[in-house]
Amino acid sequence: MYQKHRVLEYKIVVAADTAFRVAFTVADNTITVFFISDVLIKAHFCKLLAKTDLLD
């Protein structure tokens, strides 16, 4: 949870050699991206996010 909202994640491919994974929430038709990383493997991204103090 992030600020009492469910956390979602998504991989964004910008170009063939550029991609990111983001953590975000959706509330009242507003998307809030609060974490961006170049770690693309979902399990590794989740572990990295869990090590921050961003989550409730």
Side-chain angles (χ1 to χ4, degrees), residues 3-56:
Q3 297 181 350
K4 300 181 182 179
H5 298 289
R6 183 174 159 227
V7 174
L8 304 166
E9 58 76 30
Y10 194 77
K11 183 169 83 173
I12 300 173
V13 179
V14 178
D17 62 344
T18 307
F20 303 94
R21 191 168 287 275
V22 299
F24 64 97
T25 61
V26 179
D28 300 324
N29 294 321
T30 301
I31 297 171
T32 303
V33 175
F34 65 91
F35 188 74
I36 302 172
S37 175
D38 60 353
V39 175
L40 299 180
I41 299 171
K42 183 177 180 175
H44 296 175
F45 175 82
C46 291
K47 286 181 184 178
L48 182 63
L49 178 58
K51 289 180 182 179
T52 71
D53 60 352
L54 295 171
L55 303 178
D56 297 342

